[in-house]
Amino acid sequence: MFISYFKGTPEYHILCFKNGKIRQQGRGISFWYGTLGTTIAMVPVTSLDNPFIFTETTANFQDLAIQGSVSYRIVDPLKAAEGFDFSAKLNRTDVVGDGREKIAERLVLAIQSRARAVVSSMTLEQALAEVTKLGGNLAELLRNDPIAATAGLSIEEVHITSVQPTPEIRKALQTEYREALQRQADAAIYGRRAWGVEKEREIKQSEQATEIELAERNKLLVDTEARNKLTLAEAEAKAQQLELDVYASAPAQVLTAMAFKAWAEKGGSVGNLSITPDMLTSALSQLSTPKAGS
């Protein structure tokens, strides 16, 4: 048959070429066309995602695998169809051209060339920390890349999802990191032990200070009691001395009378009394001696 019907879908911008000239175009259009000399292009106009992974070398000669994806959209289908092959199989809505693959390949090459300029100026450690932050910068650089103008693209986002060194280097870094964590854990344990020892020392010093303070107070108490006892003894001795001084100046008759008075006040009870002749003579002579002036 020389006449056929094409039914488009909304995710494609359809361009119908007849003998090299555009006869009709539009998003998702359907139409009748003559099969002789007709070419149909189907340019995707929805947002597209293309994953990528490539390996670059850092400034210290370490390989780094960079993985991510680029999101873009074809905003000028005519320009894209002029620069790349989006031809469709007649009588079917299948794209047989490799335009989308070629655009994706060019985008990845542009991303890789710009990532290489960044990674080659960094050490491995710097690249592992910084490359994942390059997505926004790469997207801005791609917007100014010739591929964006040639294919009529709008670059939406560039995501860097993974940055990995070689398995051997990754294992070495993991080992170093684990050892660093172990050292931190050991330092924390030693710190706790040192803190415990320091606290124990402070407690012992506090106990010793308390014991010293109690001993000083006890010594002060003992000294005070000793001084009090000494003062009391001195007062008692002085009182006794004063009393003896009074007795020493008293006549013998007065002392004898005082002795009999004290004996009488105690009830005159004497269990055993031994009186020698000398004592009796002395007592009688004192009682018989007349007082002076009587």
Side-chain angles (χ1 to χ4, degrees):
M1 294 180 64
F2 297 103
I3 297 178
S4 185
Y5 183 77
F6 181 88
K7 182 176 177 59
T9 55
E11 65 267 25
Y12 291 98
H13 185 92
I14 311 302
L15 297 100
C16 179
F17 293 88
K18 182 70 173 181
N19 296 324
K21 296 181 179 180
I22 297 177
R23 296 302 181 184
Q24 51 186 325
Q25 64 172 321
R27 182 169 181 172
I29 62 174
S30 300
F31 52 88
W32 291 94
Y33 65 94
T35 58
L36 296 178
T38 298
T39 303
I40 297 175
M42 298 174 59
V43 182
V45 290
T46 56
S47 182
L48 302 173
D49 294 313
N50 187 73
F52 59 82
I53 182 170
F54 50 83
T55 301
E56 293 299 333
T57 303
T58 63
N60 53 349
F61 308 104
Q62 299 298 322
D63 290 338
L64 200 64
I66 302 174
Q67 184 176 357
S69 66
V70 53
S71 300
Y72 64 97
R73 189 165 55 88
I74 299 176
V75 294
D76 192 341
L78 180 58
K79 185 176 290 188
E82 290 174 350
F84 298 90
D85 183 10
F86 287 96
S87 59
K89 185 177 291 186
L90 296 181
N91 302 322
R92 297 180 62 181
T93 56
D94 296 336
V95 179
V96 295
D98 60 354
R100 179 174 175 178
E101 289 77 11
K102 291 294 185 181
I103 290 176
E105 182 180 344
R106 291 276 300 276
L107 286 174
V108 173
L109 288 175
I111 292 172
Q112 185 173 3
S113 65
R114 284 156 177 77
R116 180 182 299 119
V118 175
V119 172
S120 62
S121 64
M122 296 180 174
T123 64
L124 176 62
E125 292 78 7
Q126 292 173 334
L128 289 174
E130 298 294 333
V131 170
T132 54
K133 304 175 184 178
L134 292 178
N137 294 335
L138 290 175
E140 186 62 32
L141 292 173
L142 279 181
R143 293 185 183 102
N144 299 320
D145 192 86
I147 182 59
T150 301
L153 303 181
S154 172
I155 306 300
E156 295 177 346
E157 289 182 295
V158 176
H159 297 284
I160 305 296
T161 58
S162 175
V163 180
Q164 296 288 341
T166 60
E168 295 79 8
I169 297 299
R170 183 167 62 250
K171 184 177 181 181
L173 291 175
Q174 290 173 346
T175 301
E176 182 181 356
Y177 182 68
R178 283 195 297 268
E179 290 179 352
L181 290 179
Q182 186 61 49
R183 288 194 294 270
Q184 292 178 7
D186 293 341
I189 292 174
Y190 298 149
R192 285 195 297 270
R193 289 179 179 175
W195 180 84
V197 171
E198 178 65 19
K199 287 299 180 182
E200 185 177 356
R201 184 183 65 82
E202 291 178 0
I203 291 172
K204 288 184 177 179
Q205 287 181 344
S206 178
E207 291 176 347
Q208 291 176 353
T210 302
E211 292 177 356
I212 292 172
E213 183 179 358
L214 291 176
E216 291 292 337
R217 291 183 178 181
N218 188 44
K219 179 181 178 182
L220 180 61
L221 179 61
V222 171
D223 291 343
T224 303
E225 290 180 349
R227 286 195 298 270
N228 290 339
K229 288 181 180 180
L230 180 59
T231 302
L232 183 60
E234 289 176 350
E236 291 179 351
K238 184 178 291 185
Q240 291 178 358
Q241 182 63 41
L242 292 174
E243 186 177 358
L244 290 176
D245 291 343
V246 173
Y247 291 157
S249 61
Q253 296 89 340
V254 175
L255 293 177
T256 302
M258 291 177 64
F260 281 112
K261 180 181 178 182
W263 172 66
E265 288 177 351
K266 292 182 179 180
S269 175
V270 178
N272 293 309
L273 179 61
S274 298
I275 300 175
T276 62
D278 295 336
M279 294 175 57
L280 182 59
T281 304
S282 176
L284 291 175
S285 62
Q286 291 179 6
L287 290 175
S288 61
T289 302
K291 295 181 180 182
S294 59

